[in-house]
Amino acid sequence: MPILEVKNLAARYTNSGPEILKNLSFSVEADDFFAVIGPSGAGKSTLIRCINRLVEPTGGEVILYGTDVLKLSSTGLRRLRRNIGMIFQEFNLVDRMSVMDNVLSGRLGYVGSTRSLFKLFPRSDIDRALRILHRVGLLEFVDKRADALSGGQRQRVGIARALMQEPKLLLLDEPTSSLDPKISREVMALVKEIAGEFRVPVLCNIHDVQLATEFCNRILGLQDGMKMFDGTTETMDQQKLDEIYAMEVL
């Protein structure tokens, strides 16, 4: 049974604006590392952000673990977002805060902003943060400010912060676009390993097709907001890629 079902999803940014997503349907299984590929402007980032309603869809359904995300109240949505970890293109860290404090911010949905402000986190959260930082190779940087880190290290902080939520789904929005090829491969390998260890499915918007085919088991290909391909990585071939990227402007 799929853990995420997207049915006839539609989205536009203004009432009179063009449709960004057009009746898009697909599903994600519990063990999927699912890539979303397509040319610039295809709607990849919009799709990722519709899953947790950072962008409000204009139609369709988003069913996550049996709950229709689009029907939730603001309170229900806040609770649901605890279960959705998100890793961003530009890291979204607080530069002046330490690595540890950035990672602990992943518990904001549980401890509240006031306790977070005074760093009143339970010992269990601190211990978990230390374990995760060790897992992503950053334990020695625990007290460093985020702006003192390299791009690859900053993205590892973002991964650790997402894991602090104990997510049931990880959303990745262009996680490697700010990184060089070697570091991009290391980051994708780390996310895949951790997703397996923590048993959390991944939906990843990614611009690098080679990374998508190397690390992901399923691929969704978008073009102009429409689904052009939905299948296993093994069934993706050059002809299908050419069709997906036919409208790419060089």
Side-chain angles (χ1 to χ4, degrees), residues 37 185 206-216 233 241:
I37 67 170
R185 183 160 276 98
I206 187 165
H207 70 286
D208 190 319
V209 173
Q210 185 172 343
L211 288 179
T213 56
E214 183 176 345
F215 291 102
C216 302
T233 303
L241 281 174

Side-chain angles (χ1 to χ4, degrees), residues 86 156 201:
M86 191 154 181
R156 286 171 182 260

